[in-house]
Amino acid sequence: MERRRRGRILHHQLLPLWRTASLLSPCAWPGKPLIAYSHNTWKLDSGLPMHSESGYWRPKHDGSVEVVIAQSTGLAEVLKGTHIAEDKVIKLQSQVVANASKLREISRVHEMVNGELHYVVQMATNLTALQPHLKAVLKKLP
Amino acid sequence: MERRRRGRILHHQLLPLWRTASLLSPCAWPGKPLIAYSHNTWKLDSGLPMHSESGYWRPKHDGSVEVVIAQSTGLAEVLKGTHIAEDKVIKLQSQVVANASKLREISRVHEMVNGELHYVVQMATNLTALQPHLKAVLKKLP
């Protein structure tokens, strides 16, 4: 069962003037409590691909979630957090950020608001505390 | 440009009696020196999915290759190695194995032999040195 979402990036820390689009493609893994995940962004004007990432969401029965993500920049992330069903929100905090020279910490919050998926990534570096890196809103594709 | 390969697992350290099939789907990323990668295995008899992994291969101009992989088990890998063009072989050694309780080290060798992709994964744990975990042969799909 594939469910794809597409949307606009509202804020990007490094690329404020670039217009990009996102495609989030979670694909439930039949027979396993596992969601295969890929997320791609590209420039709206040229269609050129930008960032890409893929991995797996591993929901647990106790409401906790473990996520492992490989990024096209070469970075690997392991995040842990919680799914709060009544608030339709998943909050994740990095446990591991590997193969990153400056990046130390990543948080990701996914929240359903009026049927739209709001998506915020915060990052901390060697020099800065957690701050918004990316905000996006994604609508369900038919 | 997608190029998919499918084949049989010849040897598996933990599941010697299970027959599984592999699908390797590298997908070149236009405009970037980057190959998006996904690899899925499933049981041949029931069709149930087994292991899955996805990530990115990042070839460099000097013949070195960096690979980042997220595994469906929750494990993240960063590997580095070399592409030896005349021998049609890529040899990779893990730099990072994250979110694994016992696994310490992974090596991967991909070699083209008579048009078939031979694929060997070796693993080392807290208790054992590198030893073959998986061997597979994959043929190009039309």
Side-chain angles (χ1 to χ4, degrees), chain A residues 29-32 34 36-41 48-56 58 66-78 80 96 98-99, chain B residues 29-32 34 36-41 48-56 58 66-78 80 96 98-99:
Chain A
W29 202 242
K32 286 194 177 187
L34 183 67
Y37 157 85
S38 71
H39 192 137
N40 298 296
T41 61
L48 280 179
M50 307 241 324
H51 181 73
S52 177
E53 58 187 43
S54 65
Y56 302 90
R58 297 156 46 85
E66 185 180 277
V67 178
V68 56
I69 294 175
Q71 294 197 17
S72 59
T73 54
L75 186 154
E77 275 174 82
V78 177
K80 295 188 180 178
V96 176
N99 206 31
Chain B
W29 202 243
K32 286 193 177 188
L34 183 67
Y37 158 84
S38 71
H39 192 139
N40 299 295
T41 62
L48 280 178
M50 305 241 325
H51 181 73
S52 176
E53 58 187 44
S54 65
Y56 302 90
R58 297 158 44 84
E66 185 181 276
V67 178
V68 57
I69 294 175
Q71 294 197 17
S72 59
T73 54
L75 186 155
E77 275 173 82
V78 177
K80 296 188 180 177
V96 176
N99 205 32

